[in-house]
Amino acid sequence: MTAATQDPPLQRTPLHALHLELGARMVPFAGYSMPVQYPAGLMAEHHHTRDAAGLFDVSHMGQLRLAGPDAAAAFETLVPVDVVDLPAGKQRYGLLLTDEGGIIDDLMFVNRGDDLFVIVNGACKVGDIAHIRERIGSRCQVVPLPDRGLLALQGPKAVHALRRLVPGVDKLVFMTGGAFAWDGGELFITRSGYTGEDGFEISVHESQAQALARALLAQPEVQPIGLGARNSLRLEAGLCLYGNDIDTGTTPVEAGLNWALQKVRRSGGARAGGFPGASRILGQLDGSVPVARKRVGLVALERVPVREHTELQDAGGRKVGEVTSGLLGPTLGKPIAMAYVEAAFASPGTRVNALVRGKPVPMEVSAMPFVPNRYYRG
Amino acid sequence: MTVKYTPEHEWIKLEGGGPATVGITVHAQDALGDVVFVDLPEVGRRYGQGEVAGVVESVKAAADVYMPVTGEVTEVNEALRADPSLANSDPLGQGWFFKVKLANPAELEPLMDETAYGEFAKNAS
C-alpha cells in the first residue's frame, strides 16, 4: 500500500452554509465545495431558469481589478480584443492567450471608469493572476478581490426580482454594469451571465453575500440552481466551457470565437496585433495560416446522449473529430453537443457519426446557440 | 419473493419460478439525478454475471448497468425506454429494467440482502 496523496482541503464560498441548509448536493469543483444540484433536481432547475429566475453561486470564480492610467493599454497586450476603446460602464468578453495563440482562459471585463473589473474562471484564477502580474504587473496594479462573493441571477424574471431589492438595476442593458447600494453595502452589478437568458451577475462583499442570496431567494420568481443546470444551460446557449471546449491547445479562430476579436485588433485595424500568438491568430483569420479544425454544434438524430470525448467519424468510419461537451438538452429534449471537427465537416447540415458504446449515432452539424439567446438589449 | 442487491447498485427480484426482474436501486437513481435515457439489453441474448447489460444516463452522467446473474434476457421494460424518468420516480416498481431467466440460481446467494445493502449504500459515496 502506498501513501495517499493529500489533496488540499476544499475551499468554501460565503454561501456554503446556505447551500447545506437548502439541501444541496455538494461536489468538489475548481478547488471549492460547490452545489451541483438542490432537491428539485437538475431538470427542474434548468426549466425554472428558462421560465423564471435561477440564483447561482459563482463565488468560486476569480475577481480582480486592474488599476492605474495605463491599465487598459497594458491589458490589451494580453488579449486579442479592444480594451482601450471600451466605454465606461461597458462589459466585454476577452481571452488570455499563450504565445502560440492558445487560450489560457476566457474572461469578462468591465470598464468601471477608474479601473477594469475582471472576472475569470475559478479553476484558472491562480494561474491567470500570476500570468497577468508577470506580464503587466509593472504597468498597472493587479488587485485580486478574494473578499468578494459573486451571484448570478438568470432568467426572464430575474429583472423583476432584482429591481425590487436594487431599484434602478432594470436600466442596465446587456453587457453593461454599474455600482448600486444595498443594505448599507455596495454591489457591482452587470447585466450578463452564462445561460443565454437575460440576467445579472452581482459582485458582493463576502460579509453580505448570504444576506443578499436569502433576500433574492425570498422573491417569488427565484429558486437556487446548481452547477449541473448551469452546464446544461450554457451548452444550450452555445457557450464554451473552459477546459472542455477551449484550452491552451485551441486558438480563438478554431474555437469559432472570431466575434470576440474586434476589427481594431485585426490586420488593417488601428491597433492590429500586439497580443500573444497574434501572427498565428491573424493568419488564421485572413486565411494565410490553415485552420485544421473548428468548433461546431451538433444535434443527434437519435435520442442517445453523446458525451465529451466521443469520437466522430465520417460515413466511411474515418475519425474526423471529437465531442468536447454533450448532453440531452433539457429545453430541446434532444441530444446536443459541441465538438471539434476537420474544417471540411464544419458546415451546418453536415452529417457525422458519433461512436457511442461502439454504435454509430448520426449527428448533424447545427448553428448555435441551440436555444435562442434572450439578452435584454434595451 | 427474494430481493437481492449488487455492489454496483442493481436489485434483482425473484418471484416464484419465473424470470427475475432487475432494476437500479433508490440509492443509484438518487446519485445519478434525473434519468433521461436508458439503453436496454437485447431480448433473447445470454449474459454472464457482471457483464454490461445496459446503460442509464442522467443529464450529467452515464452509468453501466451490470447483469447481476448469468442468464438470458426474456423481456425489457419498454415503458422505461419511453419514459426514463420512471427510474427516478419508481425505481423498485415501474422503473424496472429487464427480466432474466437465471442459468445458475446459486449466483444469487452471495449478493446482499436489504439490510446489508442498506449499510453498504450508506457508506458508498
Side-chain angles (χ1 to χ4, degrees):
Chain A
M1 200 175 136
T2 55
T5 315
Q6 284 289 315
D7 289 327
L10 292 172
Q11 298 183 73
R12 295 176 172 184
T13 74
L15 301 187
H16 186 81
L18 178 59
H19 297 316
L20 298 182
E21 186 184 316
L22 293 169
R25 180 176 296 160
M26 306 299 285
V27 296
F29 185 80
Y32 283 78
S33 172
M34 296 296 288
V36 68
Q37 66 174 68
Y38 297 86
L42 194 159
M43 296 284 260
E45 292 171 26
H46 182 109
H47 291 307
H48 186 84
T49 307
R50 290 266 181 256
D51 296 339
L55 181 67
F56 304 73
D57 179 11
V58 284
S59 301
H60 63 297
M61 298 187 84
Q63 301 180 58
L64 58 148
R65 50 191 294 265
L66 306 179
D70 197 27
F75 194 47
E76 236 189 43
T77 65
L78 303 185
V79 296
V81 306
D82 175 7
V83 185
V84 167
D85 295 334
L86 185 68
K90 298 266 190 187
Q91 187 175 34
R92 185 159 274 167
Y93 177 78
L95 299 155
L96 288 176
L97 298 170
T98 68
D99 291 328
E100 293 74 42
I103 301 170
I104 294 172
D105 197 8
D106 61 344
L107 54 85
M108 299 283 270
F109 63 98
V110 189
N111 177 2
R112 295 200 295 195
D114 55 358
D115 65 7
L116 293 173
F117 174 56
V118 185
I119 296 177
V120 300
N121 280 303
C124 304
K125 64 183 173 188
V126 173
D128 288 353
I129 291 167
H131 173 80
I132 294 169
R133 278 206 169 120
E134 183 194 320
R135 299 282 177 114
I136 61 169
S138 59
R139 294 179 59 181
C140 61
Q141 293 170 263
V142 181
V143 187
L145 303 168
D147 59 352
R148 305 288 295 184
L150 192 66
L151 307 181
L153 187 69
Q154 299 281 295
K157 296 181 181 171
V159 65
H160 305 299
L162 187 58
R163 74 179 172 201
R164 268 183 231 120
L165 302 181
V166 187
V169 77
D170 47 320
K171 302 290 189 294
L172 293 175
V173 297
F174 182 55
M175 297 296 270
T176 65
F180 293 83
W182 182 75
D183 199 26
E186 177 259 320
L187 309 175
F188 192 81
I189 301 178
T190 58
R191 197 155 191 171
S192 58
Y194 219 59
T195 60
E197 297 296 327
D198 181 24
F200 301 86
E201 290 196 341
I202 309 163
S203 174
V204 53
H205 192 269
E206 61 186 359
S207 62
Q208 284 195 302
Q210 196 177 133
L212 178 62
R214 286 181 191 278
L216 287 166
L217 289 169
Q219 305 304 311
E221 300 90 349
V222 181
Q223 291 291 321
I225 311 295
L227 291 173
R230 182 169 171 83
N231 186 48
S232 53
L233 289 158
R234 73 90 198 163
L235 180 51
E236 285 187 342
L239 299 167
C240 291
L241 176 63
Y242 190 82
N244 279 45
D245 310 306
I246 49 176
D247 56 30
T248 52
T250 51
T251 70
V253 183
E254 292 160 4
L257 299 172
N258 302 9
W259 57 267
L261 279 54
Q262 287 77 34
K263 274 186 181 169
V264 71
R265 305 299 310 279
R266 298 187 184 201
S267 303
R271 297 193 309 282
F275 51 85
S279 60
R280 183 173 175 206
I281 290 169
L282 295 179
Q284 286 185 334
L285 274 176
D286 67 24
S288 61
V289 174
V291 180
R293 59 190 195 128
K294 287 184 175 169
R295 180 176 65 95
V296 295
L298 293 170
V299 176
L301 305 178
E302 292 175 6
R303 206 170 189 276
V304 181
V306 181
R307 307 283 174 184
E308 64 198 62
H309 305 310
T310 301
E311 179 171 324
L312 298 170
Q313 300 182 338
D314 67 9
R318 186 178 66 85
K319 183 177 179 181
V320 297
E322 186 175 308
V323 170
T324 52
S325 288
L327 44 71
L328 193 134
T331 306
L332 300 167
K334 54 187 172 185
I336 54 173
M338 278 187 205
Y340 280 88
V341 295
E342 292 177 7
F345 291 82
S347 305
T350 306
R351 294 280 176 94
V352 292
N353 288 321
L355 213 61
V356 180
R357 295 180 284 276
K359 284 182 264 181
V361 174
M363 302 189 88
E364 192 170 282
V365 175
S366 158
M368 290 189 281
F370 299 105
V371 172
N373 295 332
R374 296 197 286 184
Y375 304 132
Y376 178 73
R377 297 178 192 275
Chain B
M1 185 185 81
T2 312
V3 185
K4 293 279 198 162
Y5 300 84
T6 72
E8 288 80 30
H9 307 287
E10 292 93 12
W11 55 262
I12 176 164
K13 182 165 68 177
L14 200 58
E15 285 170 298
T21 309
V22 176
I24 64 168
T25 65
V26 171
H27 171 84
Q29 65 78 32
D30 184 54
L32 276 165
D34 297 312
V35 173
V36 294
F37 175 78
V38 294
D39 202 359
L40 297 172
E42 276 173 62
V43 173
R45 191 178 146 185
R46 187 188 161 94
Y47 290 83
Q49 188 179 32
E51 263 192 79
V52 173
V55 173
V56 54
E57 299 211 22
S58 65
V59 173
K60 186 67 188 154
D64 289 328
V65 179
Y66 297 95
M67 187 60 80
V69 291
T70 305
E72 181 187 319
V73 173
T74 60
E75 189 181 345
V76 297
N77 187 357
E78 292 298 341
L80 178 69
R81 203 197 302 268
D83 179 8
S85 71
L86 291 173
N88 294 119
S89 58
D90 193 8
L92 307 180
Q94 290 182 62
W96 62 278
F97 276 55
F98 53 85
K99 296 190 179 188
V100 57
K101 196 162 103 189
L102 275 62
N104 179 9
E107 286 176 343
L108 281 177
E109 198 47 41
L111 300 181
M112 288 178 272
D113 63 16
E114 190 174 343
T115 311
Y117 177 73
E119 279 300 309
F120 174 80
K122 210 161 62 182
N123 297 321
S125 59

